[in-house]
Structures are given as structure tokens and as C-alpha cells.
Amino acid sequence: MDDVQRCSHCILPASLPSVKLDQNGVCSHCRRYQRLYKDWEQVRTQQLKEFENILDKAKRQKRKYDCLIPLSGGKDSTYALYLCDKLYDMRCLAVTFDNGFLSNQAKENINNAIQATSTDHIFLSINRNIMLQLYKLFIRKCSNFCIPCLRGIGVVMHLAELYHIPTIISGTGGRVAYLSTIP
């Protein structure tokens, strides 16, 4: 795994389709992002202020949890958890939905993140064989295997309503949002 070439900014692997590294080891997505935000410091300052206002509003509601964080075990959601718990002192509920393809490394990362924070965690898992049947069914019936996972994401959203959690903090951004196809 040491021979995997990665972007020097966001660490996306160069093996992903549409990821091309330049001579400085920076990927095409980071370069595109930099072109979109030429005055990055001004944009960053404004976005940070907006983000902190959202977090302050959630904290002022004085609920059991200030935010819900979908936790996949990847770098983005783990960093979102770290920010909310350690830097912003949010009361967090992390939720993991295992669609049957969660790797052992992701599970270990999730466990480490939960142990390192004061976060409560819900792990949702559906029997792998049932998920495989659902994937096959949806591919056959409507040529789309994403629907079972999207339903799992819907359950996560339902948990925010059930626990009256005012904010959902997702660990993704413009540089990698193309992977999820969700804006």
C-alpha cells in the first residue's frame, strides 16, 4: 500500500478515475477548487464564521446532542468528529451505517475515533446477505443499486429527528463531493 500515489493536499489516491496529479503532486480536484476560490483566505474566513454560527445556534438549544455525525471511518468523517468534539466542544452522536461493505480498517478507525472522543455512537448494520439481495433486486428492477444505501442514509436522518438533534455535520467537501453525487 506504500506505493499508492496520493494528492499532497487532500490525499486522494491517483488511482481514482478523474484524479490526475500535477508535477507538484497536487490533484486535478484540488487545482479546480483553488481556481474556483482564488481569494481563499477571504472565502475560508467567511465560511468558518458561518460554520461557527451554525454550531453556536445548535449549542444554545441545550439538547442532549448538538450534532449528529455520520461516521464512515474515513478521513473526512473522522476529521468532522474531531473538530466537533475536540475543537468546538459539541455534544455529538456519531452514526455508522454498515451497508455490508464496511472494511475492517474502517471499523477499526471508527472504534479508535469513538475511543478518542466523548462521543456516543450508534452502529447500524443490516445482514450482508439481505443487502446483497437488495442490491440485486434494485439493479434488476430499476438499474440502480444505490437505493438500499440511500435508505440507510435516510435512517441516519431519521435519528436526528428522533433525538431532536439540530445539526448534522457531514465529513465531505467540494473536493470530494463528486464521489457521492450529493451536493
Side-chain angles (χ1 to χ4, degrees):
M1 192 138 163
D2 293 330
D3 59 339
V4 175
Q5 288 186 307
R6 294 183 178 278
C7 173
S8 61
H9 284 197
C10 71
I11 73 167
L12 278 176
S15 59
L16 281 175
S18 79
V19 172
K20 304 288 184 253
L21 299 180
D22 67 13
Q23 66 276 10
N24 297 317
V26 179
C27 78
S28 48
H29 297 287
C30 286
R31 289 294 181 210
R32 179 180 166 274
Y33 193 80
Q34 290 167 344
R35 282 191 305 276
L36 289 173
Y37 297 104
K38 290 182 180 100
D39 190 0
W40 171 239
E41 277 309 309
Q42 181 180 355
V43 171
R44 182 186 177 286
T45 301
Q46 179 184 349
Q47 289 178 341
L48 184 60
K49 183 178 178 181
E50 290 172 14
F51 178 68
E52 288 174 345
N53 286 339
I54 290 168
L55 298 183
D56 287 341
K57 183 179 176 184
K59 281 179 156 181
R60 284 193 306 269
Q61 294 184 33
K62 299 200 182 292
R63 297 186 179 173
K64 181 175 181 177
Y65 300 110
D66 299 318
C67 64
L68 182 141
I69 301 174
L71 184 62
S72 68
K75 65 180 175 61
D76 296 325
S77 63
T78 303
Y79 185 62
L81 176 61
Y82 167 80
L83 284 176
C84 290
D85 182 74
K86 298 294 185 191
L87 276 112
Y88 291 104
D89 197 32
M90 304 288 288
R91 293 180 305 271
C92 306
L93 175 63
V95 180
T96 301
F97 173 66
D98 183 358
N99 64 356
F101 293 97
L102 200 59
S103 71
N104 288 334
Q105 182 64 59
K107 290 176 186 175
E108 184 178 333
N109 293 347
I110 290 165
N111 186 51
N112 290 339
I114 297 303
Q115 295 301 316
T117 61
S118 59
T119 301
D120 289 339
H121 182 239
I122 296 174
F123 188 90
L124 302 170
S125 181
I126 297 176
N127 179 288
R128 183 175 167 86
N129 290 331
I130 291 172
M131 285 302 289
L132 290 174
Q133 290 172 14
L134 286 171
Y135 292 134
K136 287 178 189 176
L137 175 69
F138 280 97
I139 287 173
R140 260 197 328 268
K141 297 289 183 178
C142 60
S143 301
N144 186 334
F145 67 89
C146 294
I147 295 170
C149 289
L150 291 174
R151 183 61 192 125
I153 292 168
V155 169
V156 169
M157 304 295 266
H158 176 69
L159 287 172
E161 291 176 12
L162 183 68
Y163 288 100
H164 306 288
I165 303 171
T167 308
I168 299 173
I169 306 293
S170 175
T172 190
R175 294 182 187 183
V176 295
Y178 75 97
L179 292 171
S180 68
T181 69
I182 299 171

